[in-house]
Structures are given as C-alpha cells and as structure tokens.
Amino acid sequence: MAEGLMKKMYGQRAYVQSAGVKNDMEVDGFSIAVCKELGIELSRHRSRSFEEMQEWGDDLSQFDLIVALSPASQRTALELTRYYHLDVEYWPILDPTGLGESREAKLAAYRQARDQIRDRMIARFGPPTQEEQT
C-alpha cells in the first residue's frame, strides 16, 4: 500500500521501492481493494525482500530514507544499512491482517491502515503534488 500511495501522491518526486522482511507473500486482496478506491492499482505488485532488491540492482546505499512499517522491518533495515549514511524511520501503522470478522470489518481495518500511511506521508513529505492528489 505504501509504495502505491507514495507513487500516486508524489509521482516522480522520489524514487520509491517497497521491500519487506520476506518476499513470499502475494499482495493482500483487501490491500488491493482499499487502494483501488483511491485509483491505485496494486494487483500486479508483488512483495520483495531487501535481499531481492539488491539482487535486482537496487543498491541500498543509494537511498536517502527507509520507512519501516513494522518492528521486524525496522530491525532488518537497520541491520542491512548500518554502514550506509541513510535514515531509517519507523512508522507504527496498524497491521490490519487478521482484524475484523466480516468483509466490511476487514475492509474498515485496511482503510484505517491505508489512511494512517497516507497521513504519515503528508506529515513527512508535505501535500501531494497537484496533479497526483488523492
């Protein structure tokens, strides 16, 4: 969700890649649904790990900032970048997986997480670019 939101809100202002601790997960259907509500297409995205990013040519030392959305990803980011001069920020975002019993309750939890990410981006990076506003 974070990568899709960042690209939608800020366009080409920054190079964005999302990565996680693991790469063995498909993008969650609820994430796809709540991002689609904002015109963000996630159905073709897949999860990738930090190691996979490096294998594909993304040198972590070339990034200025890593935003971690879980304590596990924060630990991994700090470990992998301890010799690089870049910032690692932890944003405590609700983990909506496993929340809610009905479809509507699950969607509400995912919307809450999506909106928390969006609000943190606006607080950190300022208003979305004019043509990319959601």
Side-chain angles (χ1 to χ4, degrees):
M1 283 195 287
E3 179 183 353
L5 280 165
M6 188 72 179
K7 288 179 177 177
K8 172 77 172 172
M9 292 170 58
Y10 300 100
Q12 301 297 316
R13 277 180 45 187
Y15 176 70
V16 179
Q17 285 295 317
S18 79
V21 178
K22 300 177 184 173
N23 67 340
D24 60 352
M25 296 171 42
E26 294 293 320
V27 175
D28 186 288
F30 290 108
S31 294
I32 292 169
V34 300
C35 284
K36 194 171 196 169
E37 294 172 352
L38 300 180
I40 301 167
E41 181 57 54
L42 293 185
S43 63
R44 293 187 307 263
H45 286 252
R46 65 182 283 288
S47 178
R48 52 193 167 261
S49 67
F50 285 111
E51 288 80 17
E52 201 171 34
M53 281 181 65
Q54 289 176 307
E55 288 170 15
W56 293 355
D58 277 320
D59 180 357
L60 294 179
S61 70
Q62 300 301 312
F63 287 87
D64 297 316
L65 173 67
I66 293 177
V67 175
L69 301 181
S70 73
S73 63
Q74 179 189 26
R75 278 191 304 279
T76 301
L78 288 169
E79 207 173 278
L80 291 171
T81 63
R82 67 181 174 268
Y83 301 115
Y84 303 137
H85 183 71
L86 60 89
D87 294 326
V88 176
E89 292 182 10
Y90 170 56
W91 294 357
I93 302 297
L94 169 78
D95 179 1
T97 57
L99 296 181
E101 298 201 12
S102 69
R103 175 174 168 71
E104 219 24 71
K106 288 179 183 300
L107 286 170
Y110 276 80
R111 285 182 189 112
Q112 184 179 354
R114 175 201 67 198
D115 294 347
Q116 286 178 348
I117 294 167
R118 183 190 60 212
D119 293 347
R120 289 298 298 250
M121 285 179 180
I122 292 169
R124 176 66 166 82
F125 304 113
T129 56
Q130 200 62 8
E131 63 276 358
E132 301 291 337
Q133 288 186 7
T134 58

